[in-house]
Amino acid sequence: MLLFIVRRLISAFLVMFSISVVVFLIFFATPGVNPAARIAGRSASPEVLAHVAAEFGLNRPLPIRYGLMMWHLLFQQDLTSYVNIGVKVIPQITGAAPITLSLIVGAAVLWLLAGVAGGLVAAANRGKWIDPLIMFGGIAAVSIPAYWLGEVVNLVTQNKFHSLFSWLPAPGYVSITQSPWQWALHLIFPWITLATLYAGVYARVLRAELVNALNEDYVRTARAKGLSERRILVKHALRCSLVAIVSLFGLDFGSLVGGAALLTEVVFGLNGIGMLTYNSLLNLDLPVIMGCVMYGAFFIVLASAVVDVLYAFLDPRVRSVH
Amino acid sequence: MSDEVLLRATDVVKSFPIRGGKLGTKKVATAVNGVSLDIFKGETLGIVGESGCGKSTLARCLVQLMPVTSGTVSFKGEVLTGRSRRQLRDTRRDMQLVFQDPYASLNPRRTVGDIVADPMRINKMGTDAVINARVADLFKTVGLDPSYVQRYPHEFSGGQRQRVGIARALSLNPSLVVADEPVSALDVSVQAQVLNLMSDLQDEFGLTYLFIAHDLGVVRHVSDRVGVMYLGQLVELADADALYDEPLHPYTNALLSAVPQLNDGTEVPRERIVLSGDVPDPADRPSGCPFNPRCPSATDQCRTEVPVLLEIRPKRFVACHHPLTF
Amino acid sequence: MSTNEHAAPVLELTDLSVSFSTRQGLIRAVDGLSLSVGRGEVHGIVGESGSGKSVAMYSLLGLTRDANASITGSVRFEGREILGSGDKAMQPIRGGEIGMIFQDPMTALTPVYTVGWQIVEQIRQHTDLTKAQAKARAIELLGEVGIPDAKRRVDSYPHEFSGGMRQRVVIAMAMSCNPKLLIADEPTTALDVTTQAQILDLMSRLRDVHNSSIVIITHDMGVIAEMADRVTVMYAGRPIEAGPELDVVRHPRHPYTWGLLGAVPRIGERSERLATIAGNVMSPLDVPVGCAFAPRCAYVMDECAARPPWSDGDHRSACWLSDTQRVALRRKES
C-alpha cells in the first residue's frame, strides 16, 4: 500500500510538472505574446517596457522564469495577474473552485442516479420496448449541446413561464455556508442541465457492461443457484460492471472540476473555474492560466488516484496485485 | 528413427521475473529447470505433463522462439543459443511449429492460400507460379481441396484449420516440426484424423516431431519416446511402450493411473492413485525433488536432495531417488 | 430401468426438443431426446461439440435465455412436469433440488465475492438458516469436498484458488442444499488429468454418501466409463444410442459410437492407426431429414434417407442396420 501511494505521488508530480512546462512553453512560443507589453499597457515606451520586464523578471532565461513563476504560485502563493495588476492568482482560484465543485458534485449525484437506473432498467428489459426507448433517450441527451439546453432552460424558467417558476431565484450563485437552501435553489437547473448530458452516456455504457456481464458464466451459475433475476442483476451483474462506471466517472469528474463545465457555467452565470480559465485565456494572462491549469491537473490526477483505490476496493483481483 | 541426434538440449533453464512479494523483492518463476534431452532424426519425441509443467515453454526455448536463461541448445551439431535473430534465420526454416489453437494461430484477414504461401514468399522460394503450385500440392498433401486457397480461416472447421496450420509448417521443408497441443482443441473424431495425417506425413517426408500434449493417450499413440515433465523438470524419459507399461517415476505412475479407462476388455485396468493437493507454484519450488510434497513414497532424502535424470536401465532415464520396480 | 426397477425415476425426459430460429434458418439443437434417470443413478450423456448435450440440460432448467428458443416435449422431475414453468416456479428447484456443476471453474464463480459469500447466498436462498448458520454449513461443505483449512479458505476469493480447488467450490455449492439431482456439464474438461481424477473421485463419493442422482455431460468416453451407470450418445441433437454403460462400451451398435470409441487413443496399447469418422462435425443448419449421421457414415444405405426409429429394449439405438448386418460388419473390421 505504501509503495502504491509513493508511486502515485511520484507520477502525480511528474504529470503536473510536465503539464506546467508545456503550458509555459506554449505561452511564450505563441506569436504576439509579450507579457511586458501586457503589463505596461499598449502605448508604453521601450524604456518602460524594459523596466517592467526587469521588474517582473521577464528578461531572464526561460528556465529561471519558469522556476520563479512556479515558486511564486506554489510556495509564496503571491503570484499576481499580468492583466489586473496586483490581483493575486490563488484567491481567484479559491474563490471560483467552490462554485465549480458545487455544480459538479450535485450534477454528478444526479447523473449517477439517473445513469445507473437507466442502464439497469434497459438491461433488465432487453428485447422489450423500454430498452430501445431508454437507449434513444440516452443518445438524444448526449447529442444536445450544453449551452443550447441551458439557454432553453433559462428561457423557460426565467422568461416564458416565469410565473410557474416564480420560486426560482435569478441566475447566480449563493454559497452553501450562507444558505444551503438558496444554494440548492440556485443550482438545481444547472445540475439538471449538466447531469442530462452525462446521464445518457452512463446509461448506455452501463447497459453495455450489464449485457456483457449477463452473458458471463457466473451469471449462469447464479441462475442455476435459483436466485431471482433482480438479485442476479444487482448483486452479480451490476456489482461486476461497476469498475467500468467508476473509471469513466473518475475521468469525467476530474476534468469537469478542472474547468470542463465552462459552457454550463457561462449559461447560468456561475463564476467558476471554467469561466476563470476562459477569461484568462482571452487576456493571455499567463499567471492565471498557469494557476487554473495546475488546479485542473491536480484534480485529474487526484481523481485517477481515487479511481485506482476504488478499483482495488471493487475488484479483489486488483487488490492482490498491489 | 536413427541414432543421429537432430537437436540436443543441455541443462536448459528458463525463468521469468514476476511481480509480487514485499517491497522491492523480485521473485523468479522457473518454468523450465535444467532440462537435457536429445531428439533423434526421424523420431517422434512426446513431452507430456499437466498445465504449468513448462512443456510449452521448453518447446519455445528449443526452437529459439524464446531466449533461454541458461543452458545450450544445438541443432544439427550447431549451437543455437546465444545467436542473433539474423544468424538464426536459416535454422528457423528448418524448425517449424504447429500450434494448439487453430482459431487463434491463423491470421483471419488472409486467405488460407496466402497463409501457406507466406513463409515461401518471405524466403524467396521461387516465382509466384512455383509457389502457387507448391501451395496446391501442400493442400492435397494435408487433405484439403486445392480450390479452397482463396477462402478465409473462418470458413473452415477446427480440423480443417489445423490442416492449414500443418500445411504452413511443411511449406519450407523443415526437418523438425514442433507441435504444441495440436489436437487438444479438436473433437475426438477430428483429432484422430489429424493424428493419422501427422503420422502419414512423417513417413512421407521423414519428419522429426517434438509433440507436446497433456493427453496421455494421444502422446502414446504418436510417440516413439516420451518425456514426462513436472514443475519444469524432466522426471522420466523412455521408449513409449516401456514408459507406459512400466512407469518408474511415481509421478508418471500416478499420471497414468488417473486416465479414465474405457473398461471394454481391451485394457488391463490400472489401480487408481489419487494425488493429494495441487502442483506447487513455480515461483515457490519445494526443496529437493519437485514432486516430494505429493509423492506417496517420499523420504527425507527426497525433501533435501534434487534427484538427477539418470539412465538407470538402457534407454530408460528417470529422476527419482526411489524409482518404482516391477 | 435396470438398476432401480421399482423406484420412480428422478428425472424423465420425453421427446425433448429445443430449436432456435436464426437468420440462417431453424437450428434444431436438441431433437427428440428421451431419457430417464433413476435414484442414485449416474447417467452419462456423451457427444462431440454441437451435439446438443449441454443445451438439453440447460433448457430443462430454463437456463436458456434466448428469446428465439422454442422448447417442446416433457420434463418430469420427481413426477412433476417442470418444462414451461416460469422463473418463479423454477427458482426453488434450481439450486435447491437440482444442483449444477459447470465446465469452466475459472469463470463459473462471481469474481468479486468470497467463495463463502457465494455458498451462503445459495443456502439462504433455499433455507431459513441465519447468516452464521449458513456460513458454518459452507465451511462444513468446503471441508467435505476436500478443501484444506476450510475455516480460513471460506473467506478467500475465487482467483485465490487453483482450477481444481475452484471446481471443488462449485461442487460444494451445488451440493449445499442436498439436491436430489446433480447436473454436471463437462465438469473435468478444463482440468488436468490428475485433478480430473480427484474430482471424479469426489463426485462418486458424494453420490454414495448422499445417494443423489447425477447427469454427467462429457465428450470423453473415459469419463463415462469411469462414472456412468447408463449412457446416452448424442449426435447432431439426436440420441443415437443409449443403454447400460458396459453394454454400450463393449457392444456398441451405432456406427457413430464405433467411430467414437475407435478414435480415442488408449494409454494401454498402441494401435497403428486410429479409427476415424470421415468429414467434420456438421453445421446444425445442414442436418439431413433422415439419419443425421448418414453423410459421414461408412455404411450408409438407401434406407438412411429416412429417419431411423428408436429401437426398443434396454440398449437402444437409432440405426437402419439389422443385427445380422451389424455383426458381419464388426467381424469384418476386426
Side-chain angles (χ1 to χ4, degrees):
Chain A
M1 197 59 206
L2 185 72
L3 185 71
F4 172 74
I5 292 170
V6 169
R7 253 197 223 140
R8 265 279 151 204
L9 280 175
I10 293 173
S11 86
F13 173 77
L14 285 176
V15 166
M16 294 179 66
F17 172 73
S18 26
I19 290 175
S20 64
V21 168
V22 167
V23 168
F24 188 80
L25 290 179
I26 288 177
F27 185 81
F28 280 101
T30 309
V33 169
N34 183 353
R38 287 248 137 215
I39 299 164
R42 260 176 221 287
S43 50
S45 63
E47 293 78 35
V48 174
L49 281 182
H51 179 73
V52 167
E55 192 181 323
F56 280 80
L58 295 171
N59 52 355
R60 318 266 286 268
L62 272 181
I64 306 260
R65 267 192 269 163
Y66 170 80
L68 277 174
M69 175 169 279
M70 297 320 280
W71 174 257
H72 282 291
L73 177 63
L74 299 176
F75 298 101
Q76 303 284 88
Q77 308 202 338
D78 61 353
L79 189 68
T80 55
S81 161
Y82 283 175
V83 177
N84 306 310
I85 308 292
V87 177
K88 286 186 182 171
V89 173
I90 300 278
Q92 288 191 60
I93 291 175
T94 52
I99 302 176
T100 299
L101 272 172
S102 302
L103 172 67
I104 308 306
V105 170
V109 170
L110 287 184
W111 94 57
L112 278 180
L113 287 176
V116 168
L120 273 177
V121 171
N125 293 289
R126 280 186 326 272
K128 296 182 194 150
W129 58 271
I130 193 158
D131 173 23
L133 192 74
I134 291 175
M135 285 305 102
F136 177 78
I139 199 91
V142 177
S143 320
I144 299 172
Y147 58 87
W148 184 84
L149 183 61
E151 287 298 358
V152 169
V153 166
N154 272 341
L155 191 70
V156 170
T157 57
Q158 304 292 347
N159 195 337
K160 290 276 176 199
F161 301 98
H162 191 63
S163 48
L164 278 177
F165 292 94
S166 52
W167 47 272
L168 195 69
Y173 175 75
V174 173
S175 156
I176 190 170
T177 49
Q178 215 175 332
S179 157
W181 171 245
Q182 281 299 321
W183 172 80
L185 218 51
H186 276 87
L187 284 168
I188 183 77
F189 280 101
W191 283 342
I192 292 173
T193 303
L194 190 58
T196 305
L197 305 176
Y198 284 86
V201 181
Y202 280 65
R204 291 183 69 89
V205 169
L206 183 62
R207 178 194 178 270
E209 285 291 322
L210 284 172
V211 167
N212 273 342
L214 286 171
N215 286 325
E216 292 282 347
D217 284 357
Y218 61 77
V219 164
R220 191 182 56 190
T221 308
R223 264 193 203 111
K225 282 162 81 174
L227 306 180
S228 67
E229 283 300 308
R230 177 191 296 258
R231 190 176 169 94
I232 292 169
L233 186 68
V234 175
K235 281 281 178 178
H236 292 264
L238 177 63
R239 178 68 176 71
C240 293
S241 304
L242 281 181
V243 168
I245 291 298
V246 161
S247 54
L248 191 63
F249 182 74
L251 287 175
D252 285 341
F253 189 80
S255 64
L256 281 174
V257 171
L262 170 68
L263 292 176
T264 314
E265 288 181 8
V266 171
V267 171
F268 291 102
L270 299 167
N271 285 314
I273 290 291
M275 288 277 261
L276 185 62
T277 315
Y278 177 67
N279 287 331
S280 63
L281 279 169
L282 277 187
N283 297 328
L284 290 174
D285 191 353
L286 179 62
V288 184
I289 295 175
M290 189 60 91
C292 290
V293 164
M294 294 315 286
Y295 158 89
F298 171 75
F299 270 98
I300 290 171
V301 168
L302 180 73
S304 75
V306 171
V307 164
D308 276 3
V309 172
L310 275 178
Y311 268 172
F313 176 73
L314 287 173
D315 192 336
R317 288 166 295 185
V318 177
R319 221 174 298 162
S320 62
V321 172
H322 283 309
Chain B
M1 181 177 158
S2 64
D3 293 338
E4 190 187 331
V5 174
L6 187 65
L7 185 144
R8 168 165 288 170
T10 316
D11 210 15
V12 168
V13 175
K14 177 70 194 178
S15 51
F16 300 95
I18 52 166
R19 297 243 247 155
K22 296 273 177 310
L23 194 72
T25 56
K26 280 248 159 61
K27 272 182 141 185
V28 171
T30 311
V32 176
N33 194 16
V35 170
S36 303
L37 54 81
D38 291 338
I39 302 176
F40 295 104
K41 197 169 184 315
E43 77 163 339
T44 300
L45 175 65
I47 299 285
V48 70
E50 300 182 277
S51 51
C53 72
K55 53 190 191 298
S56 291
T57 310
L58 175 67
R60 279 165 173 69
C61 288
L62 294 185
V63 297
Q64 306 300 308
L65 273 182
M66 248 180 207
V68 299
T69 306
S70 68
T72 53
V73 175
S74 56
F75 182 71
K76 291 185 169 169
E78 290 179 62
V79 176
L80 301 183
T81 35
R83 286 206 198 173
S84 70
R85 275 168 173 273
R86 265 180 76 129
Q87 291 169 314
L88 283 170
R89 248 183 102 166
D90 287 342
T91 321
R92 280 258 167 80
R93 291 170 47 175
D94 221 4
M95 306 191 287
Q96 290 293 319
L97 279 140
V98 176
F99 297 97
Q100 167 174 10
D101 189 347
Y103 296 86
S105 62
L106 302 179
N107 184 343
R109 286 172 219 285
R110 294 191 60 78
T111 65
V112 292
D114 282 337
I115 289 172
V116 175
D118 278 346
M120 294 188 277
R121 289 187 188 138
I122 291 164
N123 284 285
K124 303 196 177 62
M125 302 266 287
T127 62
D128 278 0
V130 172
I131 289 176
N132 288 341
R134 176 141 168 80
V135 169
D137 257 4
L138 283 165
F139 266 57
K140 272 182 239 158
T141 311
V142 299
L144 289 172
D145 188 332
S147 66
Y148 288 172
V149 289
Q150 290 302 322
R151 298 196 181 180
Y152 288 89
H154 72 265
E155 298 174 66
F156 293 92
S157 67
Q160 287 171 316
R161 279 186 232 208
Q162 201 54 294
R163 288 172 194 265
V164 174
I166 292 171
R168 172 178 61 180
L170 293 181
S171 61
L172 296 175
N173 285 317
S175 26
L176 176 67
V177 172
V178 175
D180 187 2
E181 300 271 10
V183 295
S184 57
L186 307 176
D187 275 313
V188 207
S189 65
V190 180
Q191 162 181 306
Q193 294 170 3
V194 173
L195 292 176
N196 285 345
L197 170 69
M198 288 185 68
S199 110
D200 292 345
L201 295 172
Q202 182 166 40
D203 294 344
E204 196 176 336
F205 300 108
L207 296 171
T208 305
Y209 286 139
L210 176 63
F211 193 101
I212 316 278
H214 70 277
D215 185 316
L216 288 140
V218 167
V219 168
R220 167 155 213 189
H221 179 74
V222 300
S223 308
D224 299 305
R225 290 188 308 141
V226 173
V228 181
M229 281 186 79
Y230 185 81
L231 204 62
Q233 264 159 264
L234 203 55
V235 297
E236 185 162 4
L237 176 66
D239 282 348
D241 290 340
L243 185 127
Y244 277 74
D245 294 340
E246 283 187 356
L248 296 183
H249 197 284
Y251 175 64
T252 315
N253 194 34
L255 201 59
L256 288 171
S257 81
V259 180
Q261 287 177 290
L262 276 185
N263 195 17
D264 58 356
T266 59
E267 290 177 272
V268 188
R270 290 172 196 267
E271 193 195 335
R272 162 73 48 90
I273 302 157
V274 176
L275 293 175
S276 57
D278 286 323
V279 180
D281 182 355
D284 193 13
R285 307 174 66 88
S287 63
C289 174
F291 188 56
N292 87 68
R294 303 174 75 194
C295 184
S297 43
T299 61
D300 283 344
Q301 187 190 10
C302 304
R303 283 181 269 276
T304 51
E305 211 177 297
V306 184
V308 284
L309 193 70
L310 291 174
E311 188 167 12
I312 62 165
R313 283 190 225 163
K315 292 167 80 186
R316 293 221 59 171
F317 296 84
V318 64
C320 180
H321 295 305
H322 313 289
L324 303 169
T325 45
F326 279 84
Chain C
M1 300 299 319
S2 63
T3 46
N4 258 315
E5 277 164 57
H6 305 294
V10 172
L11 179 73
E12 191 159 31
L13 308 186
T14 316
D15 206 21
L16 180 71
S17 295
V18 183
S19 51
F20 299 93
S21 46
T22 68
R23 242 169 245 172
Q24 287 84 33
L26 193 72
I27 292 177
R28 294 183 189 283
V30 182
D31 191 353
L33 177 65
S34 302
L35 58 85
S36 108
V37 185
R39 192 163 307 281
E41 187 178 76
V42 178
H43 194 108
I45 302 181
V46 67
E48 296 181 277
S49 50
S51 63
K53 53 194 192 300
S54 299
V55 178
M57 291 303 122
Y58 289 127
S59 306
L60 75 86
L61 276 178
L63 296 179
T64 313
R65 311 305 288 186
D66 196 324
N68 298 315
S70 122
I71 307 170
T72 58
S74 152
V75 176
R76 298 184 81 81
F77 174 68
E78 297 264 282
R80 288 168 283 162
E81 175 65 46
I82 59 167
L83 198 64
S85 332
D87 268 346
K88 277 266 157 346
M90 285 305 288
Q91 275 160 18
I93 297 175
R94 293 181 199 147
E97 294 181 81
I98 303 180
M100 269 206 87
I101 303 169
F102 301 94
Q103 171 170 0
D104 191 352
M106 304 315 256
T107 56
L109 295 164
T110 309
V112 298
Y113 296 119
T114 64
V115 298
W117 189 96
Q118 302 189 47
I119 299 174
V120 167
E121 183 186 38
Q122 175 163 358
I123 295 174
R124 284 175 47 87
Q125 179 75 29
H126 297 285
T127 66
D128 296 328
L129 296 188
T130 63
K131 260 193 184 145
Q133 286 169 326
K135 183 153 182 188
R137 173 96 179 104
I139 294 170
E140 191 184 308
L141 283 160
L142 289 177
E144 193 181 350
V145 297
I147 288 181
D149 201 6
K151 217 179 172 103
R152 196 173 54 81
R153 296 295 269 163
V154 73
D155 292 322
S156 299
Y157 289 93
H159 72 272
E160 294 166 321
F161 290 88
S162 68
M165 286 295 158
R166 266 189 239 191
Q167 195 62 304
R168 287 171 195 266
V169 171
V170 173
I171 292 175
M173 203 155 80
M175 297 296 298
S176 61
C177 299
N178 289 317
K180 300 183 180 86
L181 175 68
L182 212 52
I183 297 177
D185 181 14
E186 304 262 13
T188 58
T189 304
L191 305 175
D192 277 316
V193 60
T194 57
T195 317
Q196 163 170 294
Q198 294 171 346
I199 297 296
L200 293 182
D201 206 50
L202 170 66
M203 286 177 62
S204 305
R205 193 156 48 76
L206 292 175
R207 191 266 296 249
D208 293 344
V209 174
H210 300 275
N211 196 32
S212 38
S213 312
I214 300 178
V215 173
I216 185 164
I217 302 166
T218 177
H219 67 281
D220 186 341
M221 271 309 224
V223 171
I224 293 283
E226 191 92 359
M227 294 287 295
D229 303 314
R230 297 181 69 81
V231 55
T232 299
V233 184
M234 285 183 76
Y235 184 79
R238 305 178 189 170
I240 53 105
E241 183 160 357
E245 180 266 319
L246 272 181
D247 289 359
V248 174
V249 170
R250 294 197 175 174
H251 311 289
R253 298 166 66 123
H254 197 286
Y256 176 66
T257 319
W258 301 348
L260 208 54
L261 288 166
V264 186
R266 311 291 179 81
I267 62 157
E269 58 178 330
R270 188 177 176 189
S271 49
E272 270 312 303
R273 265 189 105 67
L274 296 169
T276 58
I277 302 171
N280 292 295
V281 178
M282 72 177 56
S283 152
L285 288 161
D286 305 333
V287 178
V289 196
C291 173
F293 187 59
R296 298 177 72 187
C297 185
Y299 316 107
V300 64
M301 312 175 290
D302 292 344
E303 289 93 324
C304 302
R307 187 161 170 177
W310 193 225
S311 70
D312 286 328
D314 198 30
H315 183 176
R316 314 170 89 177
S317 61
C319 179
W320 286 110
L321 286 173
S322 68
D323 283 343
T324 37
Q325 283 172 311
R326 204 170 273 138
V327 170
L329 282 173
R330 290 298 270 175
R331 189 167 300 141
K332 200 169 81 196
E333 271 198 350
S334 56

